[in-house]
Amino acid sequence: MSDRQSPVGAQAKRPLAGRVVAESVERPWLVAACGLILGAAALFFAVTQFAMTTNTDDILSTRLPWRQREAAYAKVFPQGGAQTVVVVDGATPELADEAATALTAALKARPDTFSSVSQPDADPFWRKNGLLYLPAADVAKTLKTLTDAQPFLGQLAQDPSLRGLMGALSTVAGGVGGGYATLDQIHKPVARIAGSLEALKAGKTEPFSWQTVISGKAPDPRQLRHVILIGPKMDFAKLKPGAGASQVIRDTAKGLGLDPAHGVRVRLTGPVPLEDEEFGTLADRAGLIGAIALTAILVMLWFAVRSAKVIFAILATTLVGLVCAMAWGLLLFHRFNVISVAFIPLFVGLGIDFGIQFSVRYRSEQQGEVSVVDALVASGNGMGRSLTLAAAAIASGFLAFGPTNYAGLSQLGVVAGFGLIIALILNLTLLPALLRLLRPHGAQGETSPPLIEKLDAFMLGHRRLVVGVGVGAALASAATLPFLHFDFNPLHLRSTKVESVSTLLDLTKDPEQSVNTLDLITPNLPAAQAMAARLARIPEVSEVKTLQSFIPADQPEKLAAIADASMLLDLTLNPISVQPPPSDAQVVTALNTTSADLLKAAGGGGAPAAVDARRLAADLAALAQGSPANRAKAAQTLMPGLVTVLDQARNSLQAGPVTLDTLPPSLVSQWLAADGRARVSMLPTGDPNSNAVLRKFTRAVLKIDPDVVGAPLGIQRSGEVVVGAFVEAGILSFIAITILLFIVLRRVRDVAITMAPIVLTGLLTLGSCVVLGLPLNFANIIALPLLFGIGVAFHIYFVMAWRAGGSHLLQSSLTRAIFFSALTTATGFGSLWASSHPGTASMGKLLMISLVWTLVSALLFQPALMGPPPKDAGGH
């Protein structure tokens, strides 16, 4: 029979899918042209109308009770929306303070980029009243340190220059000579100044801290860090909606010289950089992963069909289907979200499977003198019904995701469900038409390897053993399910190598900066205090705050001590006159004078203080003999922080009584609403990043008040919604597919034979996750729909072939198609394992694990479960 002599006369006897294929191969140019035109139009629409939101708030239903409580809380105590947290660390307290102040001022001048910029600890209230929040003993020590440094500070306040510093050192050195002071009293300042000058001479910069010199002790880590809170203007049409604002922050910091070379480090964290950098991590190695995936898919396709022409036809059909599905999704929802965009790997995996199944069947049909048309029509008659049933079953399974509260998954299910129908239509029309036009050769003389024949014989000869092993493995896997857990902590899906994550982890080491707090609203401040007292008794709660927490204890005692110190130090810190900047000649004179005074005071003693005094004297003499530029550098190193320290000392001595009425309005608004409702905030006991700690913390607080809100509760409830959505969708999918199979197969046994291996695959996959210590998470759980769809398809193919009279199916072309289809998906999407993004890598791991069990279940368990074909095979 010639290529034009297609047996189309018996259309009524063919199944619908077979008739569609026959019509398509009769008019290949028309069908191919229509398919390509449709693909081009869909591609144009998808490219011009493509929109994707990266706003993760959109992927969970706002109808959820805990989200409604979050929204209600946010109305009473607004959190300022998405924020960028700028963490400024300085080598000294002065550098940190000056850097944060300068950066805050510069960013406030950019209202085009930032809706809000604030430095909470820079409020004048805190600068003035900070001492009141220290324990009384620490207040006394701080004031004593200031008082003891009075002679030193007085000279520097009058002359805040290198000349003034030399004068202060000479005064103390003179006191040593007169017996009014000792070298030990200035040992630490002398040693530190000498160290800075010697580092400068060696071409290095050693940060110099006046606060450390005056206090005589290392600074508190909190003094070396300041936080700036920023509300960036977002562009959710971009993959990284806050990247532009973040770049402005980095450029501004660079322009101000805020970098490690100048003793300052500026880092970004918070919701905006975290999301942006996560998408950046996802894009990292994307080229490599894409190349691996494409290469793997092409290699597996070659092994499956052994024809470049067939590979081209499969890929072209899949690509047309993908852009059509994307266009359909945009028509329905107008934009994708970070979950629904996962329909792309779903469609590619299943679309290629349909193409492989049809093409492998075609190559096996085109034996000897069989024409391309006859082989294609026979393939449509043989595989059309199986493909249609598989597509219908998988689509109904995906569409069952629609009613869930996980809005991202709901949209994914709808797009993927309709996409599978598109894939089916194209694989029964465009693919046969392309194969007719390309005229690839069939599989001539291909036989099953001897190993497959032996395996097939073993499976059929030891059915009870194989089925028993499968049932035992299912029961064993089911026993591990109580140990399977869902990791709800989104930080565990992020790479700790990126700045935003490492900075957040560093920041949360300080309980005062932890984001893992729980909050609740009470009717008024007295009620908040009563609730705080109850919560403070819970072991899982380490600290409870209300507005009342910002009223310092022991104020009368502290204020009295501050007032006494203020009277004593007033003229010292606020001199009547300040000398003008010195000339270089005056600086040289002061350096030489102080050098001589230090040598005189040190004498020839061998005590460490005397040794360091002589050391500094030599450094000062060398500086006096050096160039004016060296003296300018020395002044630039030693003196800038002095003004900051003097200002801090003046401010701290102006403290006044703190009451609810004198607290800053910006602080009060965070804790007390206009209608009198008051906020209560709690911190967990233990590691705030531990899932176990957060679970216990949340559970304990919920027993006291079920209306609590906060990040620990939100991420746990999000995890519950995601898991619940998949369980709900899984049950609905199982029911929908079972009903569909009953309608088509009409036998309980046949339906059970189809569904049992799917259940086995699921149990083995989840059991393997427990054994390998791979928890489910927000990322890898998205792989389950793809795995479910492929498993359903494979088992339907086998059952339909078995019902049609197929025996020894392991030796058939169907097994070859299933095997290489699974390998194509496994190698293609298993390449995600190579991602530097932990969540994506875990998805690749889960894909590989599940596809291995899918193959085991389909190729070993199902043939043994089916056994010989039914006596009335071929009649269905």
Side-chain angles (χ1 to χ4, degrees):
M1 184 179 294
S2 70
D3 192 52
R4 293 292 302 168
Q5 292 175 317
S6 174
V8 295
Q11 294 282 4
K13 296 181 180 179
R14 296 195 188 107
L16 176 61
R19 295 200 299 272
V20 171
V21 171
E23 291 292 341
S24 299
V25 297
E26 278 296 302
R27 301 168 180 80
W29 286 106
L30 176 62
V31 173
C34 290
L36 296 178
I37 291 172
L38 176 63
L43 178 62
F44 176 80
F45 179 84
V47 169
T48 57
Q49 301 298 317
F50 184 84
M52 176 178 168
T53 177
T54 53
N55 188 349
T56 53
D57 286 340
D58 292 342
I59 64 175
L60 291 177
S61 173
T62 56
R63 301 190 305 270
L64 294 165
W66 60 272
R67 291 211 66 188
Q68 292 177 343
R69 286 195 293 271
E70 283 184 340
Y73 175 85
K75 287 183 179 179
V76 180
F77 296 109
Q79 302 302 303
Q83 284 189 329
T84 294
V85 178
V86 181
V87 179
V88 181
D89 293 304
T92 66
E94 296 91 332
L95 283 173
D97 187 76
E98 292 164 5
T101 301
L103 185 57
T104 299
L107 296 178
K108 282 184 176 180
R110 293 295 305 270
D112 58 314
T113 307
F114 309 108
S115 57
S116 63
V117 178
S118 66
Q119 185 186 341
D121 60 1
D123 190 290
F125 172 87
W126 300 111
R127 294 189 181 276
K128 187 174 74 170
N129 297 297
L131 273 179
L132 294 177
Y133 291 88
L134 296 176
D138 290 348
V139 173
K141 289 180 182 178
T142 302
L143 294 176
K144 184 179 185 304
T145 299
L146 285 175
T147 303
D148 290 345
Q150 184 178 16
F152 207 73
L153 291 175
Q155 184 80 30
L156 292 170
Q158 290 180 346
D159 186 4
S161 67
L162 196 57
R163 177 186 60 191
L165 174 59
M166 295 302 103
L169 289 173
S170 290
T171 299
V172 177
V176 172
Y180 303 110
T182 66
L183 278 177
D184 287 335
Q185 291 177 297
I186 60 168
H187 181 203
K188 289 183 179 179
V190 164
R192 285 193 171 91
I193 293 171
S196 291
L197 291 178
E198 289 162 4
L200 195 64
K201 185 177 180 181
K204 302 176 182 179
T205 300
E206 182 176 300
F208 184 82
S209 171
W210 280 101
Q211 186 167 311
T212 302
V213 167
I214 293 170
S215 67
K217 62 181 182 180
D220 186 287
R222 294 181 183 180
Q223 295 176 312
L224 300 175
R225 173 172 294 167
H226 294 277
V227 170
I228 305 171
L229 302 181
I230 296 178
K233 293 185 177 179
M234 309 285 283
D235 184 358
F236 288 111
K238 294 183 178 179
L239 184 63
K240 300 180 181 180
S246 295
Q247 190 59 47
V248 169
I249 297 171
R250 298 184 197 280
D251 291 343
T252 303
K254 182 178 180 181
L256 293 171
L258 307 182
D259 52 45
H262 295 88
V264 178
R265 182 169 59 158
V266 176
R267 294 176 293 167
L268 274 58
T269 187
V272 173
L274 281 168
E275 292 294 337
D276 286 348
E277 290 190 352
E278 179 169 25
F279 289 120
T281 309
L282 287 168
D284 184 33
R285 301 184 188 173
L288 172 63
I289 293 171
I292 293 173
L294 180 59
T295 302
I297 288 173
L298 290 175
V299 169
M300 290 302 111
L301 281 174
W302 173 259
F303 282 121
V305 297
R306 305 278 183 171
S307 169
K309 294 180 179 180
V310 176
I311 292 175
F312 172 81
I314 292 173
L315 293 180
T317 302
T318 303
L319 180 60
V320 171
L322 178 62
V323 295
C324 288
M326 185 177 295
W328 178 249
L330 291 171
L331 279 172
L332 285 178
F333 299 107
H334 307 297
R335 62 181 181 178
F336 295 110
N337 58 51
V338 293
I339 302 299
S340 62
V341 77
F343 91 91
I344 295 175
L346 283 175
F347 185 94
V348 172
L350 291 166
I352 287 180
D353 171 63
F354 289 172
I356 289 176
Q357 298 299 330
F358 187 92
S359 300
V360 169
R361 181 61 177 263
Y362 156 74
R363 296 189 74 243
S364 68
E365 292 285 352
Q366 196 194 9
Q367 301 286 345
E369 298 298 321
V370 178
S371 70
V372 171
V373 172
D374 288 344
L376 288 171
V377 173
S379 300
N381 292 333
M383 282 301 300
R385 196 172 182 217
S386 298
L387 290 177
T388 302
L389 180 57
I394 301 168
S396 63
F398 284 152
L399 291 173
F401 294 2
T404 65
N405 284 321
Y406 193 12
L409 180 65
S410 175
Q411 190 181 112
L412 170 65
V414 173
V415 176
F418 284 108
L420 263 293
I421 302 303
I422 294 172
L424 172 68
I425 294 171
L426 291 174
N427 276 280
L428 295 179
T429 55
L430 180 60
L431 179 60
L434 291 175
L435 292 175
R436 164 75 188 277
L437 295 173
L438 294 171
R439 300 169 61 84
H441 295 295
Q444 302 296 326
E446 289 187 358
T447 59
S448 298
L451 179 61
I452 296 296
E453 295 179 4
K454 292 180 181 179
L455 182 62
D456 185 43
F458 180 84
M459 291 295 105
L460 296 178
H462 301 81
R463 291 180 57 206
R464 290 189 177 183
L465 174 63
V466 174
V467 172
V469 170
V471 171
L475 293 175
S477 298
T480 68
L481 294 185
F483 303 99
L484 180 70
H485 74 280
F486 186 90
D487 187 351
F488 60 81
N489 194 330
L491 276 182
H492 296 168
L493 300 182
R494 305 174 190 268
S495 172
T496 56
K497 296 179 182 179
V498 301
E499 179 187 82
S500 59
V501 177
S502 61
T503 303
L504 179 61
L505 294 174
D506 185 23
L507 199 61
T508 53
K509 292 177 183 177
D510 181 358
E512 294 296 321
Q513 303 290 348
S514 177
V515 297
N516 286 321
T517 63
L518 289 176
D519 299 89
L520 56 87
I521 300 175
T522 58
N524 48 53
L525 190 54
Q529 288 300 106
M531 177 61 74
R534 290 182 63 192
L535 291 167
R537 293 192 289 268
I538 302 175
E540 292 83 0
V541 175
S542 66
E543 184 180 359
V544 187
K545 282 186 179 181
T546 68
L547 182 61
Q548 191 69 36
S549 305
F550 295 93
I551 305 300
D554 304 320
Q555 288 193 66
E557 176 188 348
K558 297 174 184 176
L559 287 170
I562 291 172
D564 290 343
S566 178
M567 291 179 61
L568 184 63
L569 296 170
D570 184 36
L571 286 177
T572 299
L573 297 174
N574 301 287
I576 296 174
S577 62
V578 177
Q579 294 189 41
S583 64
D584 183 63
Q586 291 173 322
V587 171
V588 169
T589 301
L591 289 169
N592 287 323
T593 300
T594 303
S595 176
D597 291 341
L598 285 172
L599 285 174
K600 182 178 178 181
V611 172
D612 282 330
R614 289 193 295 272
R615 173 183 158 210
L616 178 59
D619 292 334
L620 296 179
L623 186 62
Q625 295 171 9
S627 66
N630 287 341
R631 289 186 285 276
K633 288 180 180 179
Q636 189 177 4
T637 298
L638 297 174
M639 303 314 299
L642 176 62
V643 175
T644 300
V645 169
L646 290 174
D647 285 342
Q648 289 174 346
R650 294 186 189 105
N651 286 326
S652 65
L653 295 177
Q654 296 176 20
V658 175
T659 66
L660 293 177
D661 294 331
T662 61
L663 289 173
S666 59
L667 173 66
V668 173
S669 65
Q670 295 176 29
W671 295 88
L672 192 66
D675 60 5
R677 284 182 288 176
R679 169 188 168 198
V680 181
S681 184
M682 298 136 273
L683 281 169
T685 299
D687 181 3
N689 292 315
S690 165
N691 287 353
V693 167
L694 294 181
R695 283 195 189 96
K696 291 180 181 178
F697 173 51
T698 304
R699 192 180 304 120
V701 174
L702 284 172
K703 291 179 181 178
I704 302 296
D705 192 319
D707 293 330
V708 69
V709 299
L713 179 65
I715 57 178
Q716 289 180 68
R717 290 290 185 262
S718 296
E720 292 169 4
V721 169
V722 172
V723 173
F726 274 93
V727 170
E728 178 187 349
I731 293 172
L732 292 175
S733 297
F734 192 88
I735 294 172
I737 292 171
T738 301
I739 292 173
L740 180 63
L741 291 177
F742 267 121
I743 293 172
V744 176
L745 302 180
R746 301 180 184 178
R747 285 182 179 175
V748 174
R749 180 173 180 267
D750 292 0
V751 173
I753 287 174
T754 306
M755 299 301 290
I758 298 172
V759 175
L760 174 62
T761 300
L763 290 173
L764 290 172
T765 299
L766 298 179
S768 298
C769 289
V770 174
V771 172
L772 298 174
L774 178 65
L776 296 179
N777 54 50
F778 289 104
N780 63 24
I781 200 170
I782 303 301
L784 295 182
L786 172 60
L787 304 171
F788 178 73
I790 289 177
V792 169
F794 288 175
H795 300 304
I796 286 176
Y797 299 150
F798 264 125
V799 170
M800 294 298 288
W802 172 71
R803 281 168 56 91
S807 60
H808 299 285
L809 292 177
L810 281 184
Q811 302 179 46
S812 68
S813 63
L814 175 60
T815 295
R816 176 187 179 87
I818 287 175
F819 181 76
F820 284 110
S821 177
L823 285 186
T824 301
T825 303
T827 54
F829 297 107
S831 61
L832 296 173
W833 199 329
S835 174
S836 60
H837 184 267
T840 304
S842 72
M843 185 188 300
K845 294 176 186 177
L846 186 59
L847 276 164
M848 294 292 285
I849 292 169
S850 184
L851 282 166
V852 168
W853 289 125
T854 297
L855 276 177
V856 169
S857 177
L859 301 184
L860 302 181
F861 181 73
Q862 182 144 30
L865 190 64
M866 292 186 302
K871 295 179 181 180
D872 59 346
H876 301 278

